mmCIF file of all heavy atoms in Angstrom:
data_model
loop_
_atom_site.group_PDB
_atom_site.id
_atom_site.type_symbol
_atom_site.label_atom_id
_atom_site.label_comp_id
_atom_site.label_asym_id
_atom_site.label_seq_id
_atom_site.Cartn_x
_atom_site.Cartn_y
_atom_site.Cartn_z
ATOM 1 N N PRO A 1 8.186 -13.673 3.297
ATOM 2 C CA PRO A 1 6.944 -14.425 3.187
ATOM 3 C C PRO A 1 6.822 -15.491 4.290
ATOM 4 O O PRO A 1 5.685 -15.767 4.764
ATOM 5 C CB PRO A 1 7.048 -15.065 1.811
ATOM 6 C CG PRO A 1 8.494 -15.025 1.455
ATOM 7 C CD PRO A 1 9.028 -13.808 2.098
ATOM 8 N N LEU A 2 7.933 -16.063 4.715
ATOM 9 C CA LEU A 2 7.883 -17.038 5.808
ATOM 10 C C LEU A 2 7.417 -16.376 7.101
ATOM 11 O O LEU A 2 6.589 -16.939 7.827
ATOM 12 C CB LEU A 2 9.250 -17.659 6.021
ATOM 13 C CG LEU A 2 9.607 -18.887 5.157
ATOM 14 C CD1 LEU A 2 11.078 -19.270 5.344
ATOM 15 C CD2 LEU A 2 8.699 -20.060 5.498
ATOM 16 N N ALA A 3 7.920 -15.196 7.392
ATOM 17 C CA ALA A 3 7.526 -14.491 8.610
ATOM 18 C C ALA A 3 6.055 -14.080 8.559
ATOM 19 O O ALA A 3 5.362 -14.128 9.587
ATOM 20 C CB ALA A 3 8.399 -13.257 8.832
ATOM 21 N N LEU A 4 5.592 -13.672 7.382
ATOM 22 C CA LEU A 4 4.181 -13.316 7.247
ATOM 23 C C LEU A 4 3.293 -14.541 7.518
ATOM 24 O O LEU A 4 2.253 -14.449 8.221
ATOM 25 C CB LEU A 4 3.899 -12.783 5.843
ATOM 26 C CG LEU A 4 4.359 -11.359 5.583
ATOM 27 C CD1 LEU A 4 4.312 -11.056 4.092
ATOM 28 C CD2 LEU A 4 3.542 -10.358 6.366
ATOM 29 N N LEU A 5 3.674 -15.700 6.992
ATOM 30 C CA LEU A 5 2.916 -16.937 7.251
ATOM 31 C C LEU A 5 2.996 -17.317 8.739
ATOM 32 O O LEU A 5 1.985 -17.626 9.356
ATOM 33 C CB LEU A 5 3.478 -18.090 6.409
ATOM 34 C CG LEU A 5 3.184 -18.024 4.930
ATOM 35 C CD1 LEU A 5 3.974 -19.094 4.184
ATOM 36 C CD2 LEU A 5 1.693 -18.251 4.671
ATOM 37 N N ALA A 6 4.201 -17.262 9.295
ATOM 38 C CA ALA A 6 4.363 -17.647 10.710
ATOM 39 C C ALA A 6 3.635 -16.715 11.632
ATOM 40 O O ALA A 6 3.149 -17.140 12.708
ATOM 41 C CB ALA A 6 5.865 -17.698 11.050
ATOM 42 N N SER A 7 3.511 -15.468 11.287
ATOM 43 C CA SER A 7 2.817 -14.503 12.150
ATOM 44 C C SER A 7 1.360 -14.849 12.355
ATOM 45 O O SER A 7 0.758 -14.468 13.378
ATOM 46 C CB SER A 7 2.941 -13.072 11.589
ATOM 47 O OG SER A 7 2.147 -12.900 10.430
ATOM 48 N N THR A 8 0.772 -15.554 11.411
ATOM 49 C CA THR A 8 -0.643 -15.945 11.534
ATOM 50 C C THR A 8 -0.836 -16.982 12.627
ATOM 51 O O THR A 8 -2.001 -17.216 13.040
ATOM 52 C CB THR A 8 -1.203 -16.484 10.229
ATOM 53 O OG1 THR A 8 -0.580 -17.750 9.912
ATOM 54 C CG2 THR A 8 -0.945 -15.523 9.070
ATOM 55 N N LEU A 9 0.230 -17.599 13.098
ATOM 56 C CA LEU A 9 0.128 -18.640 14.123
ATOM 57 C C LEU A 9 0.379 -18.093 15.514
ATOM 58 O O LEU A 9 0.378 -18.861 16.493
ATOM 59 C CB LEU A 9 1.143 -19.755 13.798
ATOM 60 C CG LEU A 9 0.990 -20.386 12.412
ATOM 61 C CD1 LEU A 9 2.123 -21.369 12.164
ATOM 62 C CD2 LEU A 9 -0.359 -21.056 12.241
ATOM 63 N N LEU A 10 0.574 -16.783 15.620
ATOM 64 C CA LEU A 10 0.782 -16.101 16.895
ATOM 65 C C LEU A 10 -0.408 -15.194 17.180
ATOM 66 O O LEU A 10 -1.171 -14.850 16.273
ATOM 67 C CB LEU A 10 2.079 -15.295 16.866
ATOM 68 C CG LEU A 10 3.349 -16.077 16.542
ATOM 69 C CD1 LEU A 10 4.505 -15.135 16.214
ATOM 70 C CD2 LEU A 10 3.729 -16.987 17.699
ATOM 71 N N ALA A 11 -0.587 -14.788 18.429
ATOM 72 C CA ALA A 11 -1.799 -14.024 18.775
ATOM 73 C C ALA A 11 -1.521 -12.915 19.798
ATOM 74 O O ALA A 11 -2.353 -12.646 20.635
ATOM 75 C CB ALA A 11 -2.877 -14.955 19.291
ATOM 76 N N GLN A 12 -0.329 -12.280 19.718
ATOM 77 C CA GLN A 12 -0.027 -11.235 20.713
ATOM 78 C C GLN A 12 -1.059 -10.107 20.654
ATOM 79 O O GLN A 12 -1.596 -9.701 21.687
ATOM 80 C CB GLN A 12 1.335 -10.621 20.407
ATOM 81 C CG GLN A 12 2.505 -11.553 20.458
ATOM 82 C CD GLN A 12 3.738 -10.919 19.847
ATOM 83 O OE1 GLN A 12 4.653 -10.520 20.534
ATOM 84 N NE2 GLN A 12 3.778 -10.817 18.534
ATOM 85 N N ARG A 13 -1.308 -9.600 19.459
ATOM 86 C CA ARG A 13 -2.181 -8.425 19.295
ATOM 87 C C ARG A 13 -3.632 -8.737 19.639
ATOM 88 O O ARG A 13 -4.282 -7.998 20.377
ATOM 89 C CB ARG A 13 -2.048 -7.894 17.871
ATOM 90 C CG ARG A 13 -2.745 -6.581 17.631
ATOM 91 C CD ARG A 13 -2.632 -6.162 16.148
ATOM 92 N NE ARG A 13 -3.235 -4.868 15.927
ATOM 93 C CZ ARG A 13 -2.554 -3.733 15.880
ATOM 94 N NH1 ARG A 13 -1.244 -3.739 16.080
ATOM 95 N NH2 ARG A 13 -3.155 -2.581 15.650
ATOM 96 N N SER A 14 -4.152 -9.816 19.085
ATOM 97 C CA SER A 14 -5.562 -10.135 19.296
ATOM 98 C C SER A 14 -5.837 -10.485 20.766
ATOM 99 O O SER A 14 -6.902 -10.111 21.303
ATOM 100 C CB SER A 14 -5.999 -11.294 18.390
ATOM 101 O OG SER A 14 -5.284 -12.486 18.683
ATOM 102 N N LEU A 15 -4.923 -11.165 21.426
ATOM 103 C CA LEU A 15 -5.101 -11.450 22.862
ATOM 104 C C LEU A 15 -5.190 -10.175 23.641
ATOM 105 O O LEU A 15 -6.091 -10.012 24.499
ATOM 106 C CB LEU A 15 -3.985 -12.356 23.370
ATOM 107 C CG LEU A 15 -4.047 -12.709 24.851
ATOM 108 C CD1 LEU A 15 -5.352 -13.402 25.205
ATOM 109 C CD2 LEU A 15 -2.839 -13.567 25.254
ATOM 110 N N TYR A 16 -4.281 -9.251 23.398
ATOM 111 C CA TYR A 16 -4.320 -7.971 24.116
ATOM 112 C C TYR A 16 -5.655 -7.267 23.894
ATOM 113 O O TYR A 16 -6.272 -6.758 24.843
ATOM 114 C CB TYR A 16 -3.162 -7.076 23.644
ATOM 115 C CG TYR A 16 -3.087 -5.759 24.386
ATOM 116 C CD1 TYR A 16 -2.311 -5.635 25.522
ATOM 117 C CD2 TYR A 16 -3.833 -4.662 23.939
ATOM 118 C CE1 TYR A 16 -2.280 -4.428 26.202
ATOM 119 C CE2 TYR A 16 -3.786 -3.446 24.614
ATOM 120 C CZ TYR A 16 -2.998 -3.337 25.750
ATOM 121 O OH TYR A 16 -2.978 -2.161 26.435
ATOM 122 N N GLU A 17 -6.088 -7.193 22.638
ATOM 123 C CA GLU A 17 -7.316 -6.480 22.314
ATOM 124 C C GLU A 17 -8.543 -7.113 22.984
ATOM 125 O O GLU A 17 -9.385 -6.378 23.503
ATOM 126 C CB GLU A 17 -7.474 -6.424 20.792
ATOM 127 C CG GLU A 17 -6.465 -5.535 20.099
ATOM 128 C CD GLU A 17 -6.523 -5.638 18.589
ATOM 129 O OE1 GLU A 17 -7.166 -6.583 18.074
ATOM 130 O OE2 GLU A 17 -5.926 -4.779 17.903
ATOM 131 N N HIS A 18 -8.623 -8.429 22.985
ATOM 132 C CA HIS A 18 -9.801 -9.102 23.581
ATOM 133 C C HIS A 18 -9.832 -8.904 25.100
ATOM 134 O O HIS A 18 -10.915 -8.697 25.683
ATOM 135 C CB HIS A 18 -9.776 -10.582 23.243
ATOM 136 C CG HIS A 18 -10.321 -10.884 21.870
ATOM 137 N ND1 HIS A 18 -9.492 -10.972 20.772
ATOM 138 C CD2 HIS A 18 -11.579 -11.098 21.441
ATOM 139 C CE1 HIS A 18 -10.222 -11.243 19.702
ATOM 140 N NE2 HIS A 18 -11.492 -11.312 20.085
ATOM 141 N N VAL A 19 -8.686 -8.963 25.729
ATOM 142 C CA VAL A 19 -8.663 -8.783 27.200
ATOM 143 C C VAL A 19 -8.877 -7.331 27.559
ATOM 144 O O VAL A 19 -9.602 -7.037 28.516
ATOM 145 C CB VAL A 19 -7.346 -9.329 27.783
ATOM 146 C CG1 VAL A 19 -7.266 -9.061 29.287
ATOM 147 C CG2 VAL A 19 -7.240 -10.848 27.527
ATOM 148 N N ALA A 20 -8.282 -6.429 26.814
ATOM 149 C CA ALA A 20 -8.506 -5.002 27.078
ATOM 150 C C ALA A 20 -9.949 -4.637 26.907
ATOM 151 O O ALA A 20 -10.477 -3.730 27.610
ATOM 152 C CB ALA A 20 -7.640 -4.172 26.104
ATOM 153 N N ALA A 21 -10.694 -5.336 26.012
ATOM 154 C CA ALA A 21 -12.110 -5.057 25.827
ATOM 155 C C ALA A 21 -12.900 -5.378 27.063
ATOM 156 O O ALA A 21 -13.923 -4.734 27.332
ATOM 157 C CB ALA A 21 -12.626 -5.875 24.650
ATOM 158 N N VAL A 22 -12.466 -6.332 27.863
ATOM 159 C CA VAL A 22 -13.155 -6.672 29.107
ATOM 160 C C VAL A 22 -12.973 -5.507 30.110
ATOM 161 O O VAL A 22 -13.960 -5.104 30.756
ATOM 162 C CB VAL A 22 -12.643 -7.975 29.702
ATOM 163 C CG1 VAL A 22 -13.395 -8.302 31.005
ATOM 164 C CG2 VAL A 22 -12.787 -9.126 28.701
ATOM 165 N N ALA A 23 -11.778 -4.985 30.239
ATOM 166 C CA ALA A 23 -11.526 -3.867 31.129
ATOM 167 C C ALA A 23 -12.366 -2.661 30.670
ATOM 168 O O ALA A 23 -12.993 -1.998 31.494
ATOM 169 C CB ALA A 23 -10.038 -3.509 31.135
ATOM 170 N N GLU A 24 -12.376 -2.427 29.382
ATOM 171 C CA GLU A 24 -13.153 -1.290 28.859
ATOM 172 C C GLU A 24 -14.652 -1.485 29.084
ATOM 173 O O GLU A 24 -15.347 -0.559 29.440
ATOM 174 C CB GLU A 24 -12.866 -1.144 27.362
ATOM 175 C CG GLU A 24 -13.536 0.092 26.737
ATOM 176 C CD GLU A 24 -13.139 0.273 25.283
ATOM 177 O OE1 GLU A 24 -12.213 -0.425 24.826
ATOM 178 O OE2 GLU A 24 -13.767 1.104 24.610
ATOM 179 N N GLY A 25 -15.114 -2.742 28.920
ATOM 180 C CA GLY A 25 -16.538 -3.017 29.176
ATOM 181 C C GLY A 25 -16.902 -2.746 30.619
ATOM 182 O O GLY A 25 -17.979 -2.162 30.890
ATOM 183 N N LEU A 26 -16.069 -3.175 31.558
ATOM 184 C CA LEU A 26 -16.360 -2.930 32.958
ATOM 185 C C LEU A 26 -16.329 -1.429 33.289
ATOM 186 O O LEU A 26 -17.149 -0.928 34.030
ATOM 187 C CB LEU A 26 -15.325 -3.650 33.830
ATOM 188 C CG LEU A 26 -15.482 -5.188 33.953
ATOM 189 C CD1 LEU A 26 -14.290 -5.789 34.667
ATOM 190 C CD2 LEU A 26 -16.785 -5.547 34.674
ATOM 191 N N GLU A 27 -15.380 -0.730 32.696
ATOM 192 C CA GLU A 27 -15.208 0.688 33.005
ATOM 193 C C GLU A 27 -16.333 1.537 32.424
ATOM 194 O O GLU A 27 -16.810 2.466 33.061
ATOM 195 C CB GLU A 27 -13.871 1.180 32.427
ATOM 196 C CG GLU A 27 -12.669 0.625 33.160
ATOM 197 C CD GLU A 27 -11.363 0.738 32.371
ATOM 198 O OE1 GLU A 27 -11.433 1.075 31.180
ATOM 199 O OE2 GLU A 27 -10.292 0.476 32.946
ATOM 200 N N LYS A 28 -16.816 1.174 31.228
ATOM 201 C CA LYS A 28 -17.843 1.987 30.560
ATOM 202 C C LYS A 28 -19.257 1.553 30.855
ATOM 203 O O LYS A 28 -20.148 2.385 31.038
ATOM 204 C CB LYS A 28 -17.594 1.957 29.059
ATOM 205 C CG LYS A 28 -16.353 2.718 28.620
ATOM 206 C CD LYS A 28 -16.272 2.775 27.100
ATOM 207 C CE LYS A 28 -15.116 3.626 26.626
ATOM 208 N NZ LYS A 28 -15.045 3.709 25.122
ATOM 209 N N ASP A 29 -19.498 0.233 30.876
ATOM 210 C CA ASP A 29 -20.876 -0.298 30.997
ATOM 211 C C ASP A 29 -21.090 -1.183 32.214
ATOM 212 O O ASP A 29 -22.110 -1.897 32.274
ATOM 213 C CB ASP A 29 -21.250 -1.064 29.726
ATOM 214 C CG ASP A 29 -21.157 -0.194 28.477
ATOM 215 O OD1 ASP A 29 -21.676 0.938 28.541
ATOM 216 O OD2 ASP A 29 -20.576 -0.638 27.489
ATOM 217 N N GLY A 30 -20.133 -1.192 33.129
ATOM 218 C CA GLY A 30 -20.312 -1.933 34.357
ATOM 219 C C GLY A 30 -20.323 -3.441 34.131
ATOM 220 O O GLY A 30 -19.731 -3.958 33.187
ATOM 221 N N LEU A 31 -21.042 -4.145 34.997
ATOM 222 C CA LEU A 31 -21.058 -5.607 34.977
ATOM 223 C C LEU A 31 -21.568 -6.150 33.648
ATOM 224 O O LEU A 31 -21.030 -7.120 33.099
ATOM 225 C CB LEU A 31 -21.885 -6.146 36.118
ATOM 226 C CG LEU A 31 -21.971 -7.679 36.260
ATOM 227 C CD1 LEU A 31 -20.583 -8.284 36.375
ATOM 228 C CD2 LEU A 31 -22.822 -8.033 37.488
ATOM 229 N N HIS A 32 -22.636 -5.542 33.105
ATOM 230 C CA HIS A 32 -23.193 -6.023 31.835
ATOM 231 C C HIS A 32 -22.146 -5.958 30.713
ATOM 232 O O HIS A 32 -21.983 -6.917 29.950
ATOM 233 C CB HIS A 32 -24.415 -5.194 31.460
ATOM 234 C CG HIS A 32 -24.937 -5.492 30.078
ATOM 235 N ND1 HIS A 32 -25.635 -6.659 29.792
ATOM 236 C CD2 HIS A 32 -24.850 -4.813 28.899
ATOM 237 C CE1 HIS A 32 -25.983 -6.665 28.513
ATOM 238 N NE2 HIS A 32 -25.512 -5.586 27.961
ATOM 239 N N GLY A 33 -21.423 -4.826 30.631
ATOM 240 C CA GLY A 33 -20.395 -4.683 29.601
ATOM 241 C C GLY A 33 -19.262 -5.667 29.787
ATOM 242 O O GLY A 33 -18.713 -6.229 28.821
#
């Protein structure tokens, strides 16, 4: 339970997903994406 609580204070997965979305936006929809 401590690790589950502590994991909410980290952002490895969400940071990767948000930055990868920028690469995907550029690749699929160009500058607008």
Side-chain angles (χ1 to χ4, degrees):
L2 274 172
L4 285 168
L5 287 171
S7 72
T8 68
L9 304 174
L10 302 166
Q12 299 168 106
R13 188 183 183 96
S14 62
L15 178 58
Y16 182 92
E17 290 172 348
H18 279 93
V19 175
V22 181
E24 185 175 349
L26 286 172
E27 290 163 350
K28 290 187 175 181
D29 301 314
L31 182 57
H32 173 74

